[in-house]
Structures are given as C-alpha cells and as structure tokens.
Amino acid sequence: MTAKNIVLIGFMGSGKSTIGRHLAMRLERSFVDTDDLVETVSGKKVVQIFEEDGEAVFRALEKQVVREISKQGGRVVACGGGVVLDPENVAGLKENGVLVYLKASKETLVKRLKRGIDRRPLLRGVDAEKKVDELLDKRVATYESVADVVVETDALSPMDAVGVVAGIIEERPDD
Ligand code: S3P
C-alpha cells in the first residue's frame, strides 16, 4: 500500500515549503509544491499570473494541479496558503493525504513575511500587516477545521518542526 501524502497547509510564511522539502528528504519521499507546479504548467511566476491574469485564473490553475497531486500518494506536498479554502481541493487532498496545519501566530507570520513581500502578490502594495490580519481572520477557522494534525510552530526552528511532523507521521502507521 502506498503511504498517504503528507500535505502541509497554513498561511503564507508558515514554513510549508522549507519544512516540506526537509521533511521529504528525511522521510525519503518526493516533494511537490503547488505554487511550483502552477508555475510549471503556466510558464509564469505566481506574481505574474496575479498581475496579468488575475486571482481567479491563478485559483483555477491551482485547482488543476491539486487534482493531479490528489491522484498519487507517498509524497510531501506544500500547499499555497489559499488551497484549502476551496472545499473540492480539500476533498481531493484528503482522499490520499493527511493534512498537517503548520500553525503560527500573526506576529511570527508578519516577521517572516516582511522578508519576501515581493514574492507574495496578496501582500504587495498594501499595508501587509493589516492584510495578514484580515486574511487570518477569514482563514484560520478553515485551516483548523480541515486539518488532521495541527503543529504549533512559533517556538520551533524549521528543523525542529520537521522532527515534530515526522514523529507524528511515524506514530500514524495507517497513513
Ligand atoms: C496565497 C499563498 C501563496 C500563493 C499565492 C496565494 C494565498 O503561497 O499560492 O500567492 O492565497 O495565501 P504560500 O502560502 O506558499 O506563500
């Protein structure tokens, strides 16, 4: 039986890609990132898609790559922060995966996000702190409710978080 995917979800800046990459190496699984796949299928950067085509086009591409990812297990998947806001994405990912929410406080997220605002189309050109606040208000309940596992990352280094997630997965032999 192929293992389920370990699907990392959570807000921008919660460490999904960094933790995911290291987790995949540790567990000897392959790693996929929904944003990277969107860029591959579209031939454009995420920022460029938002600017030239709009968010709706990005969400449609994202949905297409999530559908593909959901067909196959055994990988570590880092999801863009908006993926699980679509119930069909959640249903697909859950068929073949354990959803791990990397939870972080607003303060931690803002601190981490300040370093890469230019790569985050939803935060460019606006008051980033206010926008993070607004989006968190809208999203946190969804992240919590769709998650199979919640890992609080505020006090953890990325490598510590890798260890915590790996430990939890190892304790779930059916996944
Ligand atoms: C988004 C998060 C981004 C990316 C896009 C939209 C969101 O991914 O998919 O900019 O809606 O939260 P990260 O969470 O990897 O930054």
Side-chain angles (χ1 to χ4, degrees):
M1 192 185 75
T2 311
K4 286 187 175 175
N5 289 319
I6 301 169
V7 181
L8 303 180
I9 65 166
F11 203 76
M12 294 172 266
S14 58
K16 294 162 293 183
S17 303
T18 307
I19 293 167
R21 220 166 250 123
H22 288 282
L23 182 65
M25 278 192 276
R26 170 154 169 177
L27 300 177
E28 298 184 336
R29 297 184 182 212
S30 52
F31 172 73
V32 276
D33 182 308
T34 60
D35 285 338
D36 291 347
L37 287 183
V38 165
E39 292 185 346
T40 304
V41 297
S42 66
K44 289 182 177 188
K45 292 281 172 203
V46 169
V47 169
Q48 204 186 348
I49 302 170
F50 270 76
E51 273 176 12
E52 294 176 4
D53 311 304
E55 182 170 352
V57 169
F58 172 77
R59 296 298 173 201
L61 287 163
E62 188 173 61
K63 194 161 183 153
Q64 184 187 324
V65 306
V66 166
R67 217 176 282 133
E68 284 306 310
I69 287 169
S70 300
K71 289 181 188 163
Q72 197 189 328
R75 298 193 283 194
V76 176
V77 180
C79 288
V83 164
V84 297
L85 304 177
D86 180 327
E88 286 176 15
N89 287 345
V90 174
L93 291 166
K94 274 187 182 274
E95 272 174 33
N96 235 344
V98 187
L99 270 58
V100 179
Y101 171 28
L102 299 179
K103 185 173 180 176
S105 67
K106 182 194 146 193
E107 290 68 31
T108 301
L109 293 169
V110 167
K111 205 172 357 157
R112 292 187 194 149
L113 285 165
K114 282 208 166 125
R115 296 194 285 263
I117 295 281
D118 279 353
R119 280 180 282 117
R120 301 254 162 43
L122 293 174
L123 305 179
R124 267 155 62 121
V126 296
D127 178 340
E129 199 163 336
K130 193 160 153 242
K131 187 73 182 180
V132 169
D133 231 355
E134 274 171 32
L135 289 173
L136 276 175
D137 272 355
K138 286 193 199 142
R139 293 179 173 190
V140 163
T142 303
Y143 293 143
E144 298 268 2
S145 73
V146 303
D148 299 302
V149 174
V150 179
V151 175
E152 305 254 4
T153 64
D154 281 330
L156 300 179
S157 70
M159 292 316 287
D160 287 342
V162 169
V164 171
V165 178
I168 291 171
I169 295 299
E170 277 154 15
E171 280 170 14
R172 297 171 59 111
D174 292 343
D175 295 330

